[in-house]
Amino acid sequence: MRRSFVRALVRPLVLAAAATALPLLSMSPTSPTSSTTGALSALSPASAAPAGSVVIGSFPIDVSESPWTVALSSRDRFGGTRAGQFCGGVVIGRTTVLTAAHCMGEDVLGTSAKSVRDLKVISNRTDLLSNRGQEIPVRAVRVNPDYDSSSNAEDFALLTLAVSLPQSSVIEMAASGDPAYKPGTSAMVSGWGDLTGGGDYAHSLRATRLHVLSDARCQEAYPGGAEGVYVARSMLCAGEAGGGHDACQGDSGGPLVAKGKLIGLVSWGSGCGRAGSPGVYTRVSEVVRARHLDAWAGGPRGTGGGA
């Protein structure tokens, strides 16, 4: 599921930086690996498949069932196979996509995000091999200034699009205290990541159902060490007691949805679908909180403006 699953994940799923503030990155206007522990990582440019992983224990869905789910793409960095997909993202505003911060890191891209001249968001496309939907250039990238790659905490970034998407593609984010975060709540994660944990990447959108787990359960699974540490303020985890349902490599930055609201972004974990090692997600209520802080206040909300 993860970043790589870029320490890897240990896993950042790719699902794969500094804790200091980063400036807004302007993208070119000309265009419209992972280990299985730690943050899930995105595909590295040298990889044949995207970093981050495909959904384990999954079933096919049409993008119309999850219109906020988008693919991040760069053919220059990841080749034309699977349309250059390397991470997932979520539409939270007509020109704003939320993804994992590690997806925008040099560990994943092989260069700085501002140097990727063909970074695009693919929307309204179920099969990456088809010509359906839109490929929209990314106009600007803002990585959360509090993102910590060593702990995987605060793993999110905002992308500003050059073209607006329809309002029907936008999903509401769940704020702190929303019942969608309650342990035991049924949730769904979707993406184009690894289907088996063995590099079997999907070209059509897939999803799996799992349950939100308690912070105590997550802290027991990830108390600290090589696999990362669970930080309840900025993370949540989801899975099944016996494993088998999870995000995987190539799914990083994709949505975890419960009760019709976005509650998490695929971030990291230990392996894919392992019993006792649930997937760890960026807690979206932390995104809601952070967007009200000075670090994100340099421009209209959702535009990626500001320093």
Side-chain angles (χ1 to χ4, degrees):
M1 106 185 225
R2 308 91 156 120
R3 169 189 181 181
S4 279
F5 290 104
V6 130
R7 284 168 180 172
L9 281 165
V10 107
R11 302 169 293 195
L13 300 177
V14 138
L15 254 184
T20 56
L22 298 180
L24 177 69
L25 305 176
S26 294
M27 312 306 297
S28 168
T30 58
S31 357
T33 63
S34 71
S35 123
T36 55
T37 53
L40 292 185
S41 36
L43 299 181
S44 70
S47 304
S53 31
V54 173
V55 180
I56 301 295
S58 64
F59 51 87
I61 63 169
D62 189 86
V63 71
S64 62
E65 301 173 65
S66 185
W68 43 80
T69 302
V70 297
L72 306 192
S73 165
S74 170
R75 290 176 175 82
D76 283 353
R77 305 306 303 170
F78 301 97
T81 302
R82 301 174 70 260
Q85 187 269 344
F86 64 96
C87 269
V90 194
V91 182
I92 60 167
R94 294 190 62 190
T95 59
T96 308
V97 166
L98 184 64
T99 189
H102 71 256
C103 289
M104 295 293 103
E106 291 193 15
D107 285 347
V108 169
L109 298 174
T111 186
S112 64
K114 67 182 178 182
S115 298
V116 180
R117 311 308 294 177
D118 70 334
L119 181 60
K120 295 180 181 179
V121 162
I122 302 177
S123 69
N124 194 32
R125 182 178 297 177
T126 300
D127 188 338
L128 293 172
L129 306 184
S130 76
N131 293 319
R132 285 189 54 194
Q134 296 173 275
E135 296 192 12
I136 302 175
V138 172
R139 183 163 59 84
V141 174
R142 179 179 295 284
V143 174
N144 176 21
D146 293 325
Y147 170 55
D148 182 355
S149 61
S150 63
S151 68
N152 306 322
E154 308 283 350
D155 186 14
F156 63 89
L158 293 175
L159 311 183
T160 302
L161 306 183
V163 176
S164 296
L165 289 167
Q167 187 62 35
S168 59
S169 295
V170 178
I171 187 170
E172 180 182 356
M173 296 189 291
S176 180
D178 194 290
Y181 292 106
K182 182 178 179 180
T185 299
S186 178
M188 187 174 81
V189 61
S190 54
W192 290 269
D194 190 347
L195 295 168
T196 64
D200 180 17
Y201 288 88
H203 59 82
S204 284
L205 185 61
R206 300 185 71 89
T208 193
R209 297 192 184 281
L210 25 67
H211 290 87
V212 177
L213 302 178
S214 68
D215 288 334
R217 180 93 168 268
C218 302
Q219 288 165 340
E220 180 180 1
Y222 300 109
E227 294 183 341
V229 58
Y230 180 80
V231 180
R233 180 176 65 86
S234 66
M235 302 174 187
L236 64 87
C237 67
E240 299 297 326
H245 295 261
D246 199 358
C248 198
Q249 264 42 32
D251 289 327
S252 287
L256 179 69
V257 175
K259 295 185 179 294
K261 295 180 182 179
L262 181 66
I263 63 169
L265 299 176
V266 177
S267 181
W268 64 280
S270 178
C272 301
R274 295 177 180 172
S277 298
V280 184
Y281 297 77
T282 301
R283 186 179 289 267
V284 166
S285 59
E286 185 64 7
V287 179
V288 175
R289 183 195 67 81
R291 291 179 80 200
H292 290 82
L293 300 182
D294 290 345
W296 297 82
R301 266 185 220 166
T303 66

